[in-house]
Amino acid sequence: MSKVKIGFIGSGFMGQLAHISNYALLPDVEMTALAEGREKTAELVASRYGIKKVYSNHKEMLKNEKLDGVVAIMNFGFHNVVVPDVIDAGLNILTEKPLCVNAENGKNLVQKAKQKDIVYHVGFMKRCDPASIYMKKTIEEWKKSGELGEFSYLRASMPPGNWMFGIEDPISANDADQSPAQEQESVPSWMDKKTGEKYVDFVNYYIHQINLIRYLLKEDYSVKYAESSGRLLVGETDSGKPIVLEMNTYNLKKEWHEFYTAFFEKGYIKLSLPAPLARQHSGKVEIYINNSSGEYYKNPVFSPRWCMLEQARIFVETIQGKRECISTAEDGLKDLEVAESYIKLLTKK
């Protein structure tokens, strides 16, 4: 089977360390091209990771290369400018989270991707962690079997912490970006400047948790309450069960704390995820059961797999037709709608 030809747009911090470096490890990937406005830096990155061709902008790359997919890593405020060009070229695409800034523009991106029948993977890499996948499957099985009684609620908690986990600095020649200036996408029109800043901060940091809650429960939800200090979001699933997201409850300097607990009448399953850039770390799962079989704990063990590398592998397998997309643009749109409704409640707009 021929290798999957991947082109990259952007080679900044996340572009290099969380994406390009991982695709370089996959044996069935051809590192075909890189579009980067910093010429000298682009050459260094291409040399380091074996990328065959460098372009100063993404339009030239799309025009001149035959690609199977594009990994476009940039500030999400530019997704609405760059992503349509990739979709129009009929190419599968992966971007970082969130889908874009404004849910209305997100609807257009989803529709364009559907019309072109392409894979549009939004970078919610926490879905790719083996422990997350295990928890999702377990919750689904428990709901179906009823062995632990009814599902009660889900609690998620993530304070600010050390998300970089000591990762190295990216390659840089310290040269200026020569690509044409582009205007960032605006926040929804109903937001004033202060509200818009709160919204952008929220979707930049907590959109992962907004997304993973839906993934774990395999169910949509709506926001019912936003605590005024920004520490608590309370929602309700479509089946009427509560979900709670705790934010900014305390600060960490050296560690990363991120927990999700799904409670049932006769037990719970708890997921603990590592820092996003902690290589060779998988999440951990703790299960407590108290039913007719007895009262006990279980702690399944997972291979040490970095969710960023797993996400790259999954995107390639999706392009190859080996599996369904695990993190669709449609899901990304739902996240923005939840985020906007949260900010409305928080600021009482």
Side-chain angles (χ1 to χ4, degrees), residues 222-337:
S222 57
V223 181
K224 299 299 182 181
Y225 171 74
E227 190 268 332
S228 60
S229 69
R231 290 188 174 90
L232 192 67
L233 178 158
V234 179
E236 183 177 277
T237 67
D238 286 353
S239 63
K241 301 299 184 180
I243 62 100
V244 174
L245 171 58
E246 300 170 351
M247 307 165 283
N248 301 309
T249 47
Y250 57 97
N251 290 295
L252 297 154
K253 290 184 178 179
K254 297 179 180 179
E255 294 187 319
W256 179 265
H257 294 174
E258 183 174 359
F259 311 115
Y260 303 79
T261 309
F263 297 94
F264 287 73
E265 291 178 287
K266 301 176 184 178
Y268 66 76
I269 177 168
K270 180 179 181 179
L271 169 68
S272 303
L273 288 178
L277 297 188
R279 293 191 179 110
Q280 292 181 300
H281 284 71
S282 295
K284 297 179 180 180
V285 167
E286 176 185 277
I287 294 173
Y288 168 73
I289 292 177
N290 179 12
N291 60 13
S292 58
S293 299
E295 183 177 5
Y296 55 93
Y297 288 92
K298 291 171 59 178
N299 297 98
V301 178
F302 306 99
S303 299
R305 295 179 180 176
W306 186 22
C307 60
M308 287 290 190
L309 176 56
E310 289 304 293
Q311 176 176 251
R313 194 189 320 275
I314 287 170
F315 180 54
V316 170
E317 290 178 354
T318 306
I319 291 174
Q320 294 171 323
K322 295 180 179 180
R323 63 187 305 159
E324 296 292 324
C325 183
I326 197 172
S327 183
T328 66
E330 290 87 345
D331 269 323
L333 176 58
K334 291 176 181 178
D335 298 329
L336 291 179
E337 291 170 343

Side-chain angles (χ1 to χ4, degrees), residues 71-349:
V71 177
I73 307 303
M74 68 203 79
N75 183 296
F76 63 91
F78 296 115
H79 285 180
N80 200 49
V81 176
V82 176
V83 172
D85 293 337
V86 180
I87 295 175
D88 287 341
L91 296 174
N92 303 298
I93 182 170
L94 181 145
T95 65
E96 268 289 355
K97 56 74 190 173
L99 177 64
C100 59
V101 176
N102 193 320
E104 283 302 314
N105 291 329
K107 291 177 183 177
N108 294 331
L109 294 178
V110 169
Q111 186 60 34
K112 285 179 71 72
K114 282 184 177 180
Q115 289 173 349
K116 286 289 186 176
D117 193 26
I118 62 163
V119 174
Y120 188 170
H121 183 121
V122 182
F124 290 105
M125 77 293 180
K126 297 176 191 290
R127 291 184 171 211
C128 303
D129 189 292
S132 297
I133 294 171
Y134 181 92
M135 181 169 178
K136 176 183 182 294
K137 182 179 179 182
T138 300
I139 291 173
E140 190 173 358
E141 290 174 350
W142 286 1
K143 282 182 174 180
K144 185 176 181 180
S145 69
E147 61 182 295
L148 293 184
E150 279 196 30
F151 166 68
S152 302
Y153 79 102
L154 183 138
R155 174 194 178 209
S157 179
M158 194 195 78
N162 178 19
W163 67 276
M164 292 189 292
F165 212 69
I167 203 165
E168 72 274 10
D169 293 330
I171 296 169
S172 176
N174 296 314
D175 49 336
D177 190 338
Q178 301 299 323
S179 56
Q182 296 174 328
E183 185 176 351
Q184 290 199 45
E185 182 185 357
S186 299
V187 298
S189 58
W190 59 268
M191 296 183 184
D192 57 26
K193 182 179 179 181
K194 185 177 180 180
T195 302
E197 289 172 352
K198 283 188 177 183
Y199 171 74
V200 170
D201 285 345
F202 178 74
V203 296
N204 185 46
Y205 203 71
Y206 283 105
I207 203 73
H208 273 302
Q209 290 66 50
I210 293 296
N211 178 273
L212 194 63
I213 289 170
R214 182 187 311 103
Y215 173 75
L216 293 174
L217 295 180
K218 201 176 179 181
E219 191 173 0
D220 292 337
Y221 61 94
S222 57
V223 181
K224 299 299 182 181
Y225 171 74
E227 190 268 332
S228 60
S229 69
R231 290 188 174 90
L232 192 67
L233 178 158
V234 179
E236 183 177 277
T237 67
D238 286 353
S239 63
K241 301 299 184 180
I243 62 100
V244 174
L245 171 58
E246 300 170 351
M247 307 165 283
N248 301 309
T249 47
Y250 57 97
N251 290 295
L252 297 154
K253 290 184 178 179
K254 297 179 180 179
E255 294 187 319
W256 179 265
H257 294 174
E258 183 174 359
F259 311 115
Y260 303 79
T261 309
F263 297 94
F264 287 73
E265 291 178 287
K266 301 176 184 178
Y268 66 76
I269 177 168
K270 180 179 181 179
L271 169 68
S272 303
L273 288 178
L277 297 188
R279 293 191 179 110
Q280 292 181 300
H281 284 71
S282 295
K284 297 179 180 180
V285 167
E286 176 185 277
I287 294 173
Y288 168 73
I289 292 177
N290 179 12
N291 60 13
S292 58
S293 299
E295 183 177 5
Y296 55 93
Y297 288 92
K298 291 171 59 178
N299 297 98
V301 178
F302 306 99
S303 299
R305 295 179 180 176
W306 186 22
C307 60
M308 287 290 190
L309 176 56
E310 289 304 293
Q311 176 176 251
R313 194 189 320 275
I314 287 170
F315 180 54
V316 170
E317 290 178 354
T318 306
I319 291 174
Q320 294 171 323
K322 295 180 179 180
R323 63 187 305 159
E324 296 292 324
C325 183
I326 197 172
S327 183
T328 66
E330 290 87 345
D331 269 323
L333 176 58
K334 291 176 181 178
D335 298 329
L336 291 179
E337 291 170 343
V338 168
E340 288 189 22
S341 64
Y342 167 73
I343 295 297
K344 281 183 177 179
L345 284 174
L346 184 66
T347 58
K348 295 180 172 60
K349 292 289 183 181

